[in-house]
Amino acid sequence: MSEPYQSPISPGRSWYEDSVGERPRYPALDGSARADVLVIGGGFTGLSAALHLARAGIDVVVCEAARIGDGASGRNGGQFGTGQRLWPEEMEEKYGLEPARRLFAMAEEAKAGLHETMVREGIAADFRPGQISLAHRTRYVDEFRRHADHLAERYDYPHLRFMDREETAERLGSSTYHAGLRDVGTGHLHPMKLLVGLGRAAARAGARLCEETRIESLTRTAAGLWEARTARGTISAARVLLATNAHGGRLEPRSAAHVMPIRSFIAATEPLAEPDRVLPGNEAADDSRFVVRYFRKSADGRLLFGGREAYTSASGDIAGQIRKQVVSIWPHLSDVRFTHAWGGSVAVTMPRMPYVAETQPGLDVVAGFSGHGVMLTHWTGKLYADRLTGHGDPLAALRDLDIPAFPGGTWLRAPLLFLAMTWYALRDRL
Ligand SMILES: Cc1cc2nc3c(=O)[nH]c(=O)nc-3n(C[C@H](O)[C@H](O)[C@H](O)COP(=O)(O)OP(=O)(O)OC[C@H]3O[C@@H](n4cnc5c(N)ncnc54)[C@H](O)[C@@H]3O)c2cc1C
């Protein structure tokens, strides 16, 4: 029997790969090609852009270095969240009230837009409603309470409610946390089912999808076209969308200076013997740690638990470390069997808001959604398509964000990030 497929760019085989059903293969590009738009990267961003461009009649080619689903989009926690990665309070402080409101409203449109795409394209991705956030220190309790009021009063968001310690324990199946927030306006899904569905929809709409087609270099010709070199040919296009997120390496140096990869890990248990003792309402959960713990149950009753980060390419004993975190919340799961353990690369920026830029004429970059990209990447890909098809400049609000480059230049930024992250992770434990 042949070995199961293993992503060449992310560690471990995920439970998603084993439960996604048929995962179509798209042939590698063989020879040269022309297109109106070249999309580099077959994650949510790239496939959403391709789907919406193709639906508008634009000739689009997507090149994916590995297979669709090998990057973050096929391997994540599947949680939608609400708003942007920064809370509205933080955005107000940074950008002012009106820009914060626009960014929050954009994220609400993203939620609705993703549901609409799934319905229109017939994508069944096991969506389940509800999300709870958990305070792991008493100092977050008042902040949580104020946050729910803030969203209701200033953002007209009525779906978020503060939970006291008792209710939090009931909804979690554990009394480990001090309080929580319950958001019934969001939810979680099987990300790889969504991604595979988006790929099929894009191909149906006329986009050409090429897997195992790495873009090795990008150059702009005197005629103003972009030429992308692959191992087996060259693609020329009037416009390029770089949707490589944490996997872009140095293909485009300006974005490489603004976006950095962090590894995050998830492990999946066997179906739980007593599923109602863990998250009985089937909500997704995340907590207030800097190295956030995020978890939910799958449709077949497994616990999918994400909780460890690494700032180097080493992955270590993923399931062993996640087991400790699981048992610290639900001691009765001390002997539960883990069937899968995997990791993925999250792209972060300095302020934890996305990096959206036209770094050179005709070359757009969309990246850096931290652990908050499931719905936002889809929407940003759509807004990119809207911009190219004459629907104004809906990406302006994201392009206008001040996203500084990581300090330290090419050699020092990785060790500096490592030090900063380690410090925050240490603070979680103190
Ligand atoms: C473990 C983990 C958990 C997460 N949990 C959540 C969550 O619960 N909720 C949430 O909202 N977000 C979560 N995220 C973040 C979310 O998954 C990402 O924000 C989102 O998937 C990014 O999508 P993308 O299309 O921009 O990038 P990706 O999905 O990473 O796709 C980029 C693709 O570009 C390809 N590529 C790179 N270089 C080249 C090249 N030169 N030529 C061709 N192709 C190239 C890569 O192979 C890759 O497939 C998580 C991420 C991880 C890793």
Side-chain angles (χ1 to χ4, degrees):
M1 226 172 72
S2 60
E3 285 288 301
Y5 174 78
Q6 165 59 52
S7 162
I9 59 170
S10 307
R13 185 170 169 88
S14 74
W15 173 75
Y16 298 131
E17 290 172 275
D18 284 337
S19 55
V20 70
E22 196 207 339
R23 187 178 173 190
R25 274 202 181 264
Y26 299 95
L29 187 76
D30 194 6
S32 293
R34 287 186 71 100
D36 297 331
V37 181
L38 165 64
V39 172
I40 308 178
F44 291 142
T45 306
L47 292 184
S48 170
L51 166 64
H52 291 97
L53 285 169
R55 278 171 55 88
I58 302 228
D59 181 20
V60 55
V61 169
V62 179
C63 289
E64 164 53 50
R67 286 193 65 194
I68 284 168
D70 282 355
S73 300
R75 308 172 72 84
N76 59 65
Q79 305 198 16
F80 276 29
T82 284
Q84 305 278 342
R85 166 65 177 76
L86 293 185
W87 276 8
E89 296 87 322
E90 297 169 291
M91 292 198 292
E92 280 171 36
E93 211 170 289
K94 249 178 160 1
Y95 312 119
L97 179 60
E98 280 320 310
R101 279 194 168 135
R102 273 198 297 280
L103 289 163
F104 185 85
M106 177 187 282
E108 279 301 286
E109 285 163 17
K111 250 185 221 170
L114 184 47
H115 283 295
E116 199 184 299
T117 298
M118 289 195 286
V119 170
R120 191 188 59 226
E121 304 296 343
I123 303 173
D126 304 344
F127 179 82
R128 284 169 146 192
Q131 162 140 30
I132 59 178
S133 294
L134 304 157
H136 83 292
R137 294 273 184 254
T138 45
R139 68 170 180 269
Y140 294 113
V141 173
D142 281 344
E143 207 176 300
F144 272 34
R145 202 190 307 269
R146 283 196 302 270
H147 180 61
D149 292 344
H150 198 82
L151 255 63
E153 285 158 18
R154 284 201 162 176
Y155 291 81
D156 204 16
Y157 188 76
H159 308 299
L160 189 75
R161 199 172 49 71
F162 177 79
M163 299 189 295
D164 62 16
R165 189 166 192 144
E166 287 67 38
E167 184 181 351
T168 303
E170 215 170 282
R171 293 203 175 275
L172 180 63
S174 160
S175 53
T176 323
Y177 288 91
H178 299 281
L181 290 163
R182 179 165 183 241
D183 188 346
V184 294
T186 189
H188 54 105
L189 48 59
H190 188 306
M192 201 158 181
K193 287 189 178 174
L194 171 60
L195 190 70
V196 166
L198 280 177
R200 283 203 179 99
R204 254 192 334 261
R208 286 177 279 167
L209 308 191
C210 312
E211 291 183 315
E212 296 176 311
T213 305
R214 174 175 292 283
I215 302 300
E216 291 171 350
S217 66
L218 272 174
T219 42
R220 193 148 186 266
T221 66
L225 285 179
W226 282 97
E227 276 192 1
R229 202 164 53 77
T230 74
R232 286 189 267 176
T234 301
I235 305 159
S236 52
R239 298 201 69 104
V240 173
L241 172 63
L242 193 76
T244 53
N245 207 39
H247 298 280
R250 305 207 176 281
L251 182 61
E252 201 286 310
R254 229 174 104 190
S255 57
H258 290 77
V259 178
M260 285 199 54
I262 286 181
R263 281 262 163 103
S264 180
F265 300 93
I266 304 181
T269 68
E270 60 194 340
L272 298 177
E274 298 173 287
D276 288 347
R277 288 181 71 183
V278 171
L279 293 166
N282 295 320
E283 288 138 328
D286 65 0
D287 78 6
S288 51
R289 286 180 170 79
F290 179 76
V291 179
V292 59
R293 295 179 182 182
Y294 51 99
F295 38 89
R296 64 196 184 93
K297 283 187 306 191
S298 62
D300 68 349
R302 291 160 197 272
L303 175 63
L304 309 182
F305 194 102
R308 222 194 96 217
E309 282 182 355
Y311 314 114
T312 66
S313 57
S315 23
D317 173 15
I318 302 171
Q321 299 201 7
I322 295 228
R323 177 187 297 280
K324 286 188 198 145
Q325 300 180 356
V326 167
V327 173
S328 72
I329 303 174
W330 300 282
H332 74 279
L333 294 182
S334 58
D335 293 328
V336 75
R337 196 169 68 88
F338 285 90
T339 56
H340 296 77
W342 67 96
S345 294
V346 183
V348 297
T349 62
M350 284 276 286
R352 299 292 185 271
M353 290 294 281
Y355 179 69
V356 176
E358 185 166 353
T359 58
Q360 296 175 60
L363 173 58
D364 289 271
V365 179
V366 169
F369 289 85
S370 291
H372 210 83
V374 169
M375 57 160 183
L376 294 174
T377 46
H378 169 267
W379 194 243
T380 312
K382 184 211 180 277
L383 296 184
Y384 171 79
D386 285 353
R387 177 168 164 240
L388 263 53
T389 49
H391 294 86
D393 188 5
L395 285 180
L398 293 176
R399 259 201 335 269
D400 287 349
L401 297 176
D402 177 24
I403 309 291
F406 279 93
T410 313
W411 298 109
L412 275 179
R413 62 202 194 101
L416 283 177
L417 180 74
F418 174 80
L419 282 177
M421 296 294 189
T422 309
W423 161 242
Y424 283 115
L426 188 66
R427 280 206 332 188
D428 274 349
R429 288 194 216 122
L430 295 177

